[in-house]
Amino acid sequence: MERLLQAPITLALLLSNLGVSLYAFTDPSLLRELSFRPHRIRTHREGYRFLTAGFVHASGTHLAFNMITFYFFGPLLEGILGIGAFLLLYFGSELAAHALTFAAHRDDPNYSAVGASGAISGVVFAFCVFFPLRNLYLFFALPIPAVLFAFGYVFGSIYAMGGDSRGGARGSVGDWIAHEAHVGGALAGVALTILLEPRSVQVFLESFRQLLG
């Protein structure tokens, strides 16, 4: 809890996600109203969905996975970047993630998605810029360098994005998870980190120099 008290923006975002998502679980109409629906954004000018969809989740498991991930990465990144830059990283990643999803599904009237995955992907990949070789513990047990985790995360999301073309139902109303958002958020997280903190490139390269020699 102490780490959250030292990271007020992370704490506020965690509480906001938990509060809105838990309330939406009791009111399915709210989930539909706040979800990311590209076709409605295009035809009804409901641009607010670019932000609101990041505060509702498909299930308790979906919410818990995102919030636990954010808890581990958010405070450290907020401390490194500062409040203003951290907010730009979080919401910039979310908007970029939804922009990619919008481009892919703007003509699909049945497509809906929810979740903070795009924003959190941006935070995770920002971490990887600063600490590419730090071990992350997959399933809390298996150590894996952050940069390998990042690439695995991207490729897994790209595979999931192809689900529709393989006859799957990923990203549809029955799924609610925008797999494109993971990729869009990750790319934005790296780009925004470099723009907000240019020294991060040197930190990233220095990590590999130390490894090689």
Side-chain angles (χ1 to χ4, degrees):
M1 188 63 184
E2 182 179 351
R3 61 186 292 167
L4 285 177
L5 294 177
Q6 296 173 354
I9 298 304
T10 301
L11 177 59
L13 289 169
L14 272 169
L15 292 176
S16 297
N17 272 277
L18 288 170
V20 176
S21 293
L22 291 173
Y23 184 76
F25 291 159
T26 69
D27 184 358
S29 67
L30 183 62
L31 187 67
R32 290 191 294 271
E33 181 60 30
L34 299 181
S35 65
F36 191 74
R37 303 180 65 183
H39 189 263
R40 286 196 64 87
I41 292 172
R42 184 170 68 84
T43 58
H44 293 80
R45 304 288 188 245
E46 296 176 349
Y48 66 88
R49 294 177 184 272
F50 274 91
L51 287 176
T52 60
F55 288 91
V56 287
H57 289 77
S59 66
T61 301
H62 185 206
L63 174 63
F65 180 80
N66 274 343
M67 293 304 100
I68 290 171
T69 302
F70 190 47
Y71 169 79
F72 282 115
F73 291 97
L76 179 59
L77 265 295
E78 184 176 340
I80 292 173
L81 294 174
I83 288 175
F86 183 72
L87 280 169
L88 287 173
L89 171 68
Y90 186 93
F91 286 108
S93 297
E94 180 180 350
L95 291 174
H98 284 150
L100 181 59
T101 306
F102 179 84
H105 297 284
R106 63 184 181 275
D107 295 322
D108 183 354
N110 296 315
Y111 182 92
S112 295
V114 293
S117 299
I120 294 172
S121 291
V123 171
V124 170
F125 274 76
F127 176 93
C128 290
V129 174
F130 284 105
F131 307 103
L133 300 179
R134 180 173 293 188
N135 279 336
L136 305 178
Y137 287 88
L138 195 63
F139 306 118
F140 300 98
L142 180 65
I144 179 173
V147 69
L148 293 182
F149 175 89
F151 280 111
Y153 193 72
V154 167
F155 288 125
S157 295
I158 290 173
Y159 178 82
M161 285 167 60
D164 291 338
S165 64
R166 292 190 298 271
R170 298 178 180 88
S172 67
V173 171
D175 185 284
W176 289 106
I177 300 173
H179 298 286
E180 291 85 359
H182 294 78
V183 177
L187 294 174
V190 172
L192 286 168
T193 300
I194 293 171
L195 287 172
L196 294 168
E197 192 58 77
R199 70 182 179 89
S200 63
V201 177
Q202 181 179 352
V203 172
F204 181 86
L205 294 175
E206 184 61 31
S207 297
F208 285 95
R209 289 195 192 101
Q210 292 178 3
L211 177 66
L212 295 174

